[in-house]
PDB file of all heavy atoms in Angstrom:
ATOM      1  N   GLY A  55     158.725  71.090 164.052  1.00 91.00           N
ATOM      2  CA  GLY A  55     159.578  71.193 162.878  1.00 91.00           C
ATOM      3  C   GLY A  55     158.901  71.604 161.597  1.00 91.00           C
ATOM      4  O   GLY A  55     159.561  71.720 160.560  1.00 91.00           O
ATOM      5  N   ILE A 151     144.565  65.111 180.741  1.00 98.00           N
ATOM      6  CA  ILE A 151     143.975  64.363 179.648  1.00 98.00           C
ATOM      7  C   ILE A 151     142.455  64.377 179.821  1.00 98.00           C
ATOM      8  O   ILE A 151     141.941  63.944 180.850  1.00 98.00           O
ATOM      9  CB  ILE A 151     144.493  62.915 179.602  1.00 98.00           C
ATOM     10  CG1 ILE A 151     146.017  62.889 179.446  1.00 98.00           C
ATOM     11  CG2 ILE A 151     143.811  62.138 178.486  1.00 98.00           C
ATOM     12  CD1 ILE A 151     146.529  63.391 178.122  1.00 98.00           C
ATOM     13  N   ALA A 361     148.345  62.759 143.317  1.00 29.00           N
ATOM     14  CA  ALA A 361     147.673  61.953 144.330  1.00 29.00           C
ATOM     15  C   ALA A 361     147.094  62.819 145.422  1.00 29.00           C
ATOM     16  O   ALA A 361     146.194  62.401 146.133  1.00 29.00           O
ATOM     17  CB  ALA A 361     148.651  60.944 144.922  1.00 29.00           C
ATOM     18  N   THR A 389     166.921  83.066 161.764  1.00 91.00           N
ATOM     19  CA  THR A 389     165.939  84.039 161.302  1.00 91.00           C
ATOM     20  C   THR A 389     164.572  83.750 161.890  1.00 91.00           C
ATOM     21  O   THR A 389     164.333  82.678 162.443  1.00 91.00           O
ATOM     22  CB  THR A 389     165.835  84.031 159.765  1.00 91.00           C
ATOM     23  OG1 THR A 389     165.409  82.733 159.335  1.00 91.00           O
ATOM     24  CG2 THR A 389     167.173  84.367 159.125  1.00 91.00           C
TER      25      THR A 389
END
Side-chain angles (χ1 to χ4, degrees):
I151 301 292
T389 61

